């Protein structure tokens, strides 16, 4: 554990150190992982967020900006941490992340969080993505539409 603490506090962080620290450390070790969420290497950022998830670290205001990270792994881990707290995220922030000009991983993350929230914003997101150019997002949205539409109004595809 001390080795992981030393490596996470070092400028040259090996990729597995953040998760290693989380698996062998305590919640207090989250203080060493938070700064690594801004590390220049995507693999270190991803592992830092995964470590925070393992430690059950809370920090909605610190994690929400990671939903816009250029690395898909970081966004995926941030979403995994935020799903239980999705009800605290603002509808507009998530809906804006569904925009077609954004990277797919950001859009998928926003859709997952909207699904965790449910409600009006999720329905709006489903409608937005129902005719999306991205085939997998469109298929997910249409699958939801098919399950929720009244029998006489289901889409024939």
């Amino acid at each position: 554990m001390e080795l992981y603490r030393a490596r996470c506090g070092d400028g040259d962080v090996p990729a597995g150190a953040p998760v290693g620290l989380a698996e062998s450390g305590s919640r207090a070790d989250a203080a060493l992982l938070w700064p690594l969420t801004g590390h220049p290497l995507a693999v270190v950022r991803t592992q830092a967020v995964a470590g925070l998830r393992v430690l059950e670290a809370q920090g909605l205001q610190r994690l929400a900006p990671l939903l816009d990270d250029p690395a898909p792994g970081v966004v995926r881990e941030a979403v995994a941490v935020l799903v239980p707290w999705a009800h605290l995220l603002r509808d507009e922030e998530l809906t804006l992340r569904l925009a077609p000009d954004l990277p797919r991983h950001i859009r998928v993350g926003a859709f997952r969080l909207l699904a965790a929230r449910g409600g009006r914003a999720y329905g709006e997101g489903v409608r937005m993505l129902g005719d999306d150019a991205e085939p997998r997002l469109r298929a997910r949205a249409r699958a939801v539409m098919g399950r929720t539409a009244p029998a006489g109004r289901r889409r024939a595809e």
Side-chain angles (χ1 to χ4, degrees):
M1 176 172 28
E2 291 306 320
L3 175 64
Y4 288 127
R5 284 187 181 127
R7 297 308 301 261
C8 286
D10 188 8
D12 186 27
V13 182
V19 169
L21 176 60
E23 290 176 349
S24 64
S26 68
R27 284 191 178 177
D29 291 313
L32 288 170
L33 297 180
W34 282 113
L36 297 179
T37 62
H39 195 277
L41 294 177
V43 66
V44 173
R45 291 193 312 275
T46 301
Q47 293 291 302
V49 179
L52 290 167
R53 181 172 48 82
V54 169
L55 293 174
E56 298 177 348
Q58 297 177 8
L60 182 66
Q61 299 306 320
R62 293 173 85 176
L63 287 165
L66 297 175
L67 295 173
D68 298 314
D69 196 277
V74 174
V75 174
R76 188 173 38 254
E77 287 296 333
V79 168
V81 176
L82 290 170
V83 162
W85 310 105
H87 65 284
L88 298 175
L89 296 168
R90 293 180 41 217
D91 290 344
E92 314 79 58
E93 291 177 9
L94 296 175
T95 304
L96 287 173
R97 287 182 172 102
L98 296 177
D101 59 328
L102 291 175
R104 181 182 184 281
H105 67 278
I106 291 174
R107 300 174 76 215
V108 168
F111 192 59
R112 281 190 60 210
L113 289 168
L114 282 168
R117 289 176 56 94
R120 183 187 53 77
Y122 176 53
E124 182 180 326
V126 167
R127 283 187 296 282
M128 285 174 62
L129 297 176
D131 293 317
D132 198 81
E134 207 294 312
R136 292 173 84 186
L137 279 170
R138 183 178 61 241
R140 287 181 185 177
R142 288 183 177 181
V144 172
M145 286 178 181
R147 288 194 303 264
T148 59
R153 298 191 59 197
R154 291 201 173 141
R155 290 180 172 227
E157 312 235 355

